[in-house]
Amino acid sequence: MQYVDTVRQGDLEAFKRIQAATQEWWFPTLDRGAGALLHFAVDHGRFEIVKYLIEDLKVPVNQRSHNGGWTPLHRCAHVVHYKNAPRFEIFEYLLQRGANPQLLTLDEKDDYFKPCTAFDLVVRKVGP
C-alpha cells in the first residue's frame, strides 16, 4: 500500500521508485475494492500523477472501480467542489483524454441507489 500513499501525497518520484522495484506483482490498474491508482490520484487532486498514469502508463481513462463502477471522471465530479486541489483542471483533462461523461454509476442518495453520470454528480455538489 506504500505506492498508494505516494499517490495520495503526490510524490511522483517515490511512486516511480516503488513501481520499478515491484514490477513483478504490481500493475497500474490494480483495484483491491476501493479503486485503482488513477481513482486515488483524482480523489487527492494529484494532477501530475493523473497525467503520468494516463500518458506514460496508459491507464484506461474510463476504468471502473470494483465498488460501484465509478470511473475517474465520476470520482473527480464527486470532489470537484473541494478548493484545495486542481480538480476542475483534472476534470477537463480527463474529458480531453477521452473520459466518457455518459457512463452511469451508482450514487447513494436518500437510502437508495440511483444511476448517475459524472455531470449529475457535479450538479449535485456544485449546483446548477
Side-chain angles (χ1 to χ4, degrees), residues 1-2 18 20-21 37 43-44 48-49 52 56 58 60 75 82 91-92 96 103-105 110 116 118 125-126:
M1 292 299 283
Q2 193 176 26
I18 292 170
L37 288 177
D43 286 347
H44 293 278
E48 289 304 312
I49 295 179
Y52 174 74
D56 294 322
K58 309 300 182 207
R75 298 273 285 257
Y82 294 175
F91 192 86
E92 182 179 37
Q96 290 170 352
L103 292 177
L104 294 175
T105 192
D110 300 329
C116 62
K125 295 295 180 176
V126 179

mmCIF file of all heavy atoms in Angstrom, residues 1-2 18 20-21 37 43-44 48-49 52 56 58 60 75 82 91-92 96 103-105 110 116 118 125-126:
data_model
loop_
_atom_site.group_PDB
_atom_site.id
_atom_site.type_symbol
_atom_site.label_atom_id
_atom_site.label_comp_id
_atom_site.label_asym_id
_atom_site.label_seq_id
_atom_site.Cartn_x
_atom_site.Cartn_y
_atom_site.Cartn_z
ATOM 1 N N MET A 1 0.810 -1.209 0.000
ATOM 2 C CA MET A 1 0.000 0.000 0.000
ATOM 3 C C MET A 1 0.848 1.265 0.000
ATOM 4 O O MET A 1 0.327 2.345 -0.112
ATOM 5 C CB MET A 1 -0.943 0.001 1.194
ATOM 6 C CG MET A 1 -2.041 -1.055 1.128
ATOM 7 S SD MET A 1 -3.141 -0.872 -0.277
ATOM 8 C CE MET A 1 -4.140 0.461 0.257
ATOM 9 N N GLN A 2 2.151 1.107 0.118
ATOM 10 C CA GLN A 2 3.016 2.269 0.113
ATOM 11 C C GLN A 2 2.911 3.034 -1.206
ATOM 12 O O GLN A 2 2.974 4.258 -1.231
ATOM 13 C CB GLN A 2 4.455 1.831 0.376
ATOM 14 C CG GLN A 2 5.375 2.963 0.693
ATOM 15 C CD GLN A 2 6.760 2.462 1.046
ATOM 16 O OE1 GLN A 2 7.167 1.388 0.628
ATOM 17 N NE2 GLN A 2 7.480 3.257 1.808
ATOM 18 N N ILE A 18 9.061 2.938 -6.360
ATOM 19 C CA ILE A 18 8.312 1.757 -5.904
ATOM 20 C C ILE A 18 7.846 0.953 -7.109
ATOM 21 O O ILE A 18 7.936 -0.277 -7.121
ATOM 22 C CB ILE A 18 7.129 2.171 -5.009
ATOM 23 C CG1 ILE A 18 7.643 2.743 -3.696
ATOM 24 C CG2 ILE A 18 6.197 0.990 -4.759
ATOM 25 C CD1 ILE A 18 6.582 3.402 -2.849
ATOM 26 N N ALA A 20 9.220 0.693 -10.035
ATOM 27 C CA ALA A 20 10.360 -0.023 -10.619
ATOM 28 C C ALA A 20 10.741 -1.243 -9.779
ATOM 29 O O ALA A 20 11.133 -2.280 -10.320
ATOM 30 C CB ALA A 20 11.551 0.920 -10.752
ATOM 31 N N ALA A 21 10.607 -1.132 -8.472
ATOM 32 C CA ALA A 21 11.008 -2.224 -7.579
ATOM 33 C C ALA A 21 9.959 -3.329 -7.477
ATOM 34 O O ALA A 21 10.275 -4.433 -7.021
ATOM 35 C CB ALA A 21 11.310 -1.668 -6.189
ATOM 36 N N LEU A 37 -5.196 3.229 -8.869
ATOM 37 C CA LEU A 37 -4.361 4.404 -8.611
ATOM 38 C C LEU A 37 -4.890 5.676 -9.262
ATOM 39 O O LEU A 37 -4.814 6.748 -8.674
ATOM 40 C CB LEU A 37 -2.935 4.142 -9.087
ATOM 41 C CG LEU A 37 -2.151 3.161 -8.242
ATOM 42 C CD1 LEU A 37 -0.781 2.930 -8.848
ATOM 43 C CD2 LEU A 37 -2.031 3.645 -6.815
ATOM 44 N N ASP A 43 -8.948 11.588 -6.667
ATOM 45 C CA ASP A 43 -9.521 11.936 -5.363
ATOM 46 C C ASP A 43 -8.695 12.971 -4.617
ATOM 47 O O ASP A 43 -9.234 13.863 -3.964
ATOM 48 C CB ASP A 43 -9.616 10.702 -4.461
ATOM 49 C CG ASP A 43 -10.713 9.739 -4.847
ATOM 50 O OD1 ASP A 43 -11.583 10.097 -5.668
ATOM 51 O OD2 ASP A 43 -10.700 8.608 -4.325
ATOM 52 N N HIS A 44 -7.379 12.841 -4.711
ATOM 53 C CA HIS A 44 -6.480 13.702 -3.950
ATOM 54 C C HIS A 44 -5.949 14.882 -4.757
ATOM 55 O O HIS A 44 -5.097 15.629 -4.280
ATOM 56 C CB HIS A 44 -5.334 12.868 -3.372
ATOM 57 C CG HIS A 44 -5.815 11.909 -2.337
ATOM 58 N ND1 HIS A 44 -6.031 12.268 -1.028
ATOM 59 C CD2 HIS A 44 -6.180 10.610 -2.425
ATOM 60 C CE1 HIS A 44 -6.490 11.234 -0.353
ATOM 61 N NE2 HIS A 44 -6.597 10.215 -1.184
ATOM 62 N N GLU A 48 -0.310 15.855 -11.680
ATOM 63 C CA GLU A 48 0.879 15.309 -12.334
ATOM 64 C C GLU A 48 0.847 13.781 -12.350
ATOM 65 O O GLU A 48 1.250 13.152 -13.329
ATOM 66 C CB GLU A 48 2.153 15.807 -11.654
ATOM 67 C CG GLU A 48 2.416 17.282 -11.903
ATOM 68 C CD GLU A 48 2.475 17.637 -13.384
ATOM 69 O OE1 GLU A 48 3.160 16.937 -14.148
ATOM 70 O OE2 GLU A 48 1.823 18.628 -13.775
ATOM 71 N N ILE A 49 0.355 13.184 -11.292
ATOM 72 C CA ILE A 49 0.264 11.722 -11.242
ATOM 73 C C ILE A 49 -0.845 11.235 -12.161
ATOM 74 O O ILE A 49 -0.697 10.215 -12.836
ATOM 75 C CB ILE A 49 0.103 11.225 -9.795
ATOM 76 C CG1 ILE A 49 1.380 11.565 -9.007
ATOM 77 C CG2 ILE A 49 -0.186 9.738 -9.759
ATOM 78 C CD1 ILE A 49 1.385 11.175 -7.563
ATOM 79 N N TYR A 52 0.700 11.259 -15.540
ATOM 80 C CA TYR A 52 1.687 10.181 -15.663
ATOM 81 C C TYR A 52 0.995 8.832 -15.867
ATOM 82 O O TYR A 52 1.382 8.053 -16.743
ATOM 83 C CB TYR A 52 2.575 10.143 -14.414
ATOM 84 C CG TYR A 52 3.530 8.979 -14.397
ATOM 85 C CD1 TYR A 52 4.650 8.963 -15.221
ATOM 86 C CD2 TYR A 52 3.311 7.896 -13.568
ATOM 87 C CE1 TYR A 52 5.528 7.895 -15.217
ATOM 88 C CE2 TYR A 52 4.180 6.817 -13.544
ATOM 89 C CZ TYR A 52 5.286 6.828 -14.376
ATOM 90 O OH TYR A 52 6.142 5.758 -14.368
ATOM 91 N N ASP A 56 1.871 7.983 -19.578
ATOM 92 C CA ASP A 56 3.047 7.116 -19.578
ATOM 93 C C ASP A 56 2.707 5.648 -19.329
ATOM 94 O O ASP A 56 3.292 4.765 -19.945
ATOM 95 C CB ASP A 56 4.062 7.589 -18.543
ATOM 96 C CG ASP A 56 4.640 8.953 -18.890
ATOM 97 O OD1 ASP A 56 4.876 9.213 -20.086
ATOM 98 O OD2 ASP A 56 4.840 9.757 -17.967
ATOM 99 N N LYS A 58 -0.401 4.388 -19.604
ATOM 100 C CA LYS A 58 -1.542 4.013 -20.458
ATOM 101 C C LYS A 58 -2.715 3.413 -19.674
ATOM 102 O O LYS A 58 -3.402 2.511 -20.133
ATOM 103 C CB LYS A 58 -1.116 3.044 -21.562
ATOM 104 C CG LYS A 58 0.075 3.495 -22.372
ATOM 105 C CD LYS A 58 -0.187 4.812 -23.055
ATOM 106 C CE LYS A 58 1.016 5.214 -23.906
ATOM 107 N NZ LYS A 58 1.157 6.628 -24.080
ATOM 108 N N PRO A 60 -6.360 3.098 -18.574
ATOM 109 C CA PRO A 60 -7.602 3.481 -19.254
ATOM 110 C C PRO A 60 -8.337 4.591 -18.488
ATOM 111 O O PRO A 60 -8.603 4.461 -17.296
ATOM 112 C CB PRO A 60 -8.439 2.201 -19.268
ATOM 113 C CG PRO A 60 -7.521 1.101 -18.884
ATOM 114 C CD PRO A 60 -6.370 1.705 -18.155
ATOM 115 N N ARG A 75 -15.363 10.048 -9.909
ATOM 116 C CA ARG A 75 -14.693 10.369 -8.650
ATOM 117 C C ARG A 75 -14.296 11.842 -8.633
ATOM 118 O O ARG A 75 -14.429 12.514 -7.612
ATOM 119 C CB ARG A 75 -13.466 9.486 -8.445
ATOM 120 C CG ARG A 75 -13.759 8.004 -8.342
ATOM 121 C CD ARG A 75 -14.089 7.520 -6.950
ATOM 122 N NE ARG A 75 -12.958 7.422 -6.079
ATOM 123 C CZ ARG A 75 -12.347 6.290 -5.754
ATOM 124 N NH1 ARG A 75 -12.752 5.133 -6.241
ATOM 125 N NH2 ARG A 75 -11.337 6.315 -4.930
ATOM 126 N N TYR A 82 -14.116 20.715 -3.972
ATOM 127 C CA TYR A 82 -13.052 20.949 -2.993
ATOM 128 C C TYR A 82 -12.090 21.998 -3.545
ATOM 129 O O TYR A 82 -11.656 21.919 -4.677
ATOM 130 C CB TYR A 82 -12.295 19.671 -2.681
ATOM 131 C CG TYR A 82 -13.091 18.599 -1.969
ATOM 132 C CD1 TYR A 82 -12.519 17.368 -1.731
ATOM 133 C CD2 TYR A 82 -14.387 18.801 -1.541
ATOM 134 C CE1 TYR A 82 -13.220 16.354 -1.083
ATOM 135 C CE2 TYR A 82 -15.105 17.812 -0.907
ATOM 136 C CZ TYR A 82 -14.513 16.590 -0.671
ATOM 137 O OH TYR A 82 -15.207 15.602 -0.039
ATOM 138 N N PHE A 91 -10.741 17.390 -14.174
ATOM 139 C CA PHE A 91 -11.999 17.029 -14.831
ATOM 140 C C PHE A 91 -11.909 17.325 -16.328
ATOM 141 O O PHE A 91 -12.219 16.476 -17.169
ATOM 142 C CB PHE A 91 -13.153 17.801 -14.179
ATOM 143 C CG PHE A 91 -14.520 17.318 -14.562
ATOM 144 C CD1 PHE A 91 -15.118 16.278 -13.880
ATOM 145 C CD2 PHE A 91 -15.221 17.917 -15.597
ATOM 146 C CE1 PHE A 91 -16.387 15.834 -14.220
ATOM 147 C CE2 PHE A 91 -16.485 17.482 -15.949
ATOM 148 C CZ PHE A 91 -17.068 16.434 -15.250
ATOM 149 N N GLU A 92 -11.458 18.524 -16.663
ATOM 150 C CA GLU A 92 -11.312 18.916 -18.059
ATOM 151 C C GLU A 92 -10.295 18.024 -18.774
ATOM 152 O O GLU A 92 -10.515 17.589 -19.908
ATOM 153 C CB GLU A 92 -10.888 20.382 -18.143
ATOM 154 C CG GLU A 92 -10.755 20.891 -19.557
ATOM 155 C CD GLU A 92 -10.359 22.355 -19.596
ATOM 156 O OE1 GLU A 92 -9.555 22.805 -18.754
ATOM 157 O OE2 GLU A 92 -10.863 23.053 -20.483
ATOM 158 N N GLN A 96 -10.715 15.594 -22.053
ATOM 159 C CA GLN A 96 -9.849 15.732 -23.233
ATOM 160 C C GLN A 96 -9.176 14.408 -23.591
ATOM 161 O O GLN A 96 -8.902 14.148 -24.761
ATOM 162 C CB GLN A 96 -8.774 16.795 -22.992
ATOM 163 C CG GLN A 96 -9.310 18.187 -22.952
ATOM 164 C CD GLN A 96 -8.260 19.189 -22.471
ATOM 165 O OE1 GLN A 96 -7.175 18.834 -22.036
ATOM 166 N NE2 GLN A 96 -8.609 20.466 -22.550
ATOM 167 N N LEU A 103 -21.241 7.676 -19.135
ATOM 168 C CA LEU A 103 -21.254 6.416 -18.384
ATOM 169 C C LEU A 103 -22.001 6.597 -17.071
ATOM 170 O O LEU A 103 -21.845 7.612 -16.394
ATOM 171 C CB LEU A 103 -19.826 5.943 -18.106
ATOM 172 C CG LEU A 103 -19.026 5.498 -19.321
ATOM 173 C CD1 LEU A 103 -17.600 5.127 -18.905
ATOM 174 C CD2 LEU A 103 -19.695 4.327 -20.014
ATOM 175 N N LEU A 104 -22.799 5.615 -16.729
ATOM 176 C CA LEU A 104 -23.575 5.660 -15.494
ATOM 177 C C LEU A 104 -22.862 4.893 -14.391
ATOM 178 O O LEU A 104 -22.205 3.885 -14.629
ATOM 179 C CB LEU A 104 -24.957 5.053 -15.705
ATOM 180 C CG LEU A 104 -25.889 5.794 -16.650
ATOM 181 C CD1 LEU A 104 -27.167 5.008 -16.864
ATOM 182 C CD2 LEU A 104 -26.214 7.181 -16.116
ATOM 183 N N THR A 105 -23.020 5.368 -13.189
ATOM 184 C CA THR A 105 -22.557 4.670 -11.999
ATOM 185 C C THR A 105 -23.708 4.681 -11.007
ATOM 186 O O THR A 105 -24.792 5.164 -11.315
ATOM 187 C CB THR A 105 -21.298 5.338 -11.416
ATOM 188 O OG1 THR A 105 -20.742 4.456 -10.448
ATOM 189 C CG2 THR A 105 -21.581 6.673 -10.811
ATOM 190 N N ASP A 110 -30.239 9.375 -0.341
ATOM 191 C CA ASP A 110 -31.509 9.145 0.361
ATOM 192 C C ASP A 110 -31.834 7.660 0.514
ATOM 193 O O ASP A 110 -32.939 7.221 0.228
ATOM 194 C CB ASP A 110 -32.659 9.865 -0.354
ATOM 195 C CG ASP A 110 -32.439 11.361 -0.420
ATOM 196 O OD1 ASP A 110 -31.817 11.909 0.494
ATOM 197 O OD2 ASP A 110 -32.898 11.959 -1.401
ATOM 198 N N CYS A 116 -26.292 7.560 -12.175
ATOM 199 C CA CYS A 116 -25.991 8.949 -12.488
ATOM 200 C C CYS A 116 -24.725 9.037 -13.338
ATOM 201 O O CYS A 116 -23.902 8.142 -13.347
ATOM 202 C CB CYS A 116 -25.832 9.775 -11.216
ATOM 203 S SG CYS A 116 -24.496 9.268 -10.163
ATOM 204 N N ALA A 118 -21.310 11.586 -14.504
ATOM 205 C CA ALA A 118 -20.387 12.493 -13.819
ATOM 206 C C ALA A 118 -20.979 13.898 -13.727
ATOM 207 O O ALA A 118 -20.826 14.581 -12.715
ATOM 208 C CB ALA A 118 -19.046 12.516 -14.546
ATOM 209 N N LYS A 125 -23.123 18.504 -6.371
ATOM 210 C CA LYS A 125 -22.112 19.028 -5.452
ATOM 211 C C LYS A 125 -21.942 20.531 -5.571
ATOM 212 O O LYS A 125 -21.757 21.217 -4.579
ATOM 213 C CB LYS A 125 -20.762 18.344 -5.704
ATOM 214 C CG LYS A 125 -20.767 16.871 -5.406
ATOM 215 C CD LYS A 125 -20.994 16.649 -3.931
ATOM 216 C CE LYS A 125 -21.003 15.183 -3.600
ATOM 217 N NZ LYS A 125 -21.131 14.924 -2.187
ATOM 218 N N VAL A 126 -21.947 21.072 -6.782
ATOM 219 C CA VAL A 126 -21.666 22.478 -7.007
ATOM 220 C C VAL A 126 -22.944 23.278 -7.169
ATOM 221 O O VAL A 126 -23.027 24.425 -6.788
ATOM 222 C CB VAL A 126 -20.746 22.669 -8.241
ATOM 223 C CG1 VAL A 126 -20.467 24.117 -8.508
ATOM 224 C CG2 VAL A 126 -19.445 21.896 -8.053
#
